[in-house]
Amino acid sequence: MIFTNDTIDALHFAAALVNTVPEASASGTDELGDPAALVAILDRWWYSGRRDGDARELAEVAAARARLRALWSRDRDDAVDEVNAILTESNAVPRLVRHDALDWHIHATSAEAPLAERILVEVAMALVDVVRADQLERLRSCDADDCDAAYLDLSKNGSRRFCSTRCGNRMAVRAYRARA
């Protein structure tokens, strides 16, 4: 399975964003609760372009997060419908850009478009590659019974079951104790 670096980055960012909800976050709280938390995740993922830093933008990104979280678990045909809807709503026009330390990659919205729109379009563009490769099953939710985190399975044979080593180890210990 080969995805471009910008596809992989967009999907990892999407997973990190959707995992800020209380049921998936490491803290058990909404990790996107204020504009400073939004700035932190954008900085951590080197997100470029316009940032307003206000409550309206935070609410729009939270709505985008919910939309992406729902998209993560859709089947292929439903995912296509949602991806097409996102691209249509934003009048996405793909183009090659180079900025910051990044070489040529695809953007489909202006750097001045609202943040939530840019996030949705970037992830939708990444999902175009995933759908075309018929690899939507690589978008997964953690199999740990007490974790609802989303992750991207890039393992060679697509066999990853947990969002992190921590969840995998915790479930292995539980299984061991249940057998003992």
Side-chain angles (χ1 to χ4, degrees):
M1 174 188 70
I2 298 174
F3 293 128
T4 61
N5 288 339
D6 54 334
T7 293
I8 291 169
D9 290 346
L11 294 173
H12 280 305
F13 170 77
L17 180 64
V18 303
N19 288 339
T20 61
V21 298
E23 58 270 22
S25 70
S27 67
T29 63
D30 185 350
E31 294 179 349
L32 197 61
D34 59 47
L38 177 57
V39 167
I41 193 169
L42 295 173
D43 288 346
R44 188 170 42 247
W45 287 93
W46 293 57
Y47 223 87
S48 63
R50 173 183 152 197
R51 296 184 192 179
D52 297 338
D54 57 16
R56 181 192 51 77
E57 181 177 68
L58 181 63
E60 289 172 355
V61 171
R65 173 182 67 178
R67 196 168 180 184
L68 292 175
R69 190 157 182 79
L71 182 56
W72 207 262
S73 61
R74 289 191 176 192
D75 68 25
R76 190 172 184 216
D77 291 342
D78 287 341
V80 167
D81 291 341
E82 182 66 8
V83 166
N84 285 337
I86 291 168
L87 296 174
T88 299
E89 290 165 12
S90 66
N91 297 311
V93 178
R95 67 192 183 290
L96 289 167
V97 297
R98 183 169 42 190
H99 58 86
D100 302 321
L102 301 173
D103 199 7
W104 292 110
H105 58 283
I106 295 175
H107 281 223
T109 58
S110 160
E112 293 305 312
L115 178 60
E117 178 180 306
R118 287 184 290 118
I119 289 170
L120 285 170
V121 169
E122 184 171 314
V123 175
M125 292 296 295
L127 287 171
V128 166
D129 288 346
V130 175
V131 168
R132 289 178 64 221
D134 196 15
Q135 295 293 312
L136 205 63
E137 71 277 358
R138 298 292 183 140
L139 305 181
R140 301 217 172 128
S141 293
C142 187
D143 278 355
D145 55 12
D146 59 349
C147 181
D148 196 26
Y151 67 94
L152 175 63
D153 179 5
L154 292 176
S155 64
K156 188 173 182 177
N157 62 359
S159 62
R160 187 171 159 197
R161 296 180 43 220
F162 302 104
C163 67
S164 66
T165 303
R166 185 174 130 283
C167 278
N169 288 345
R170 194 173 64 252
M171 294 309 294
V173 167
R174 284 185 188 168
Y176 172 78
R177 288 180 179 160
R179 287 189 306 269

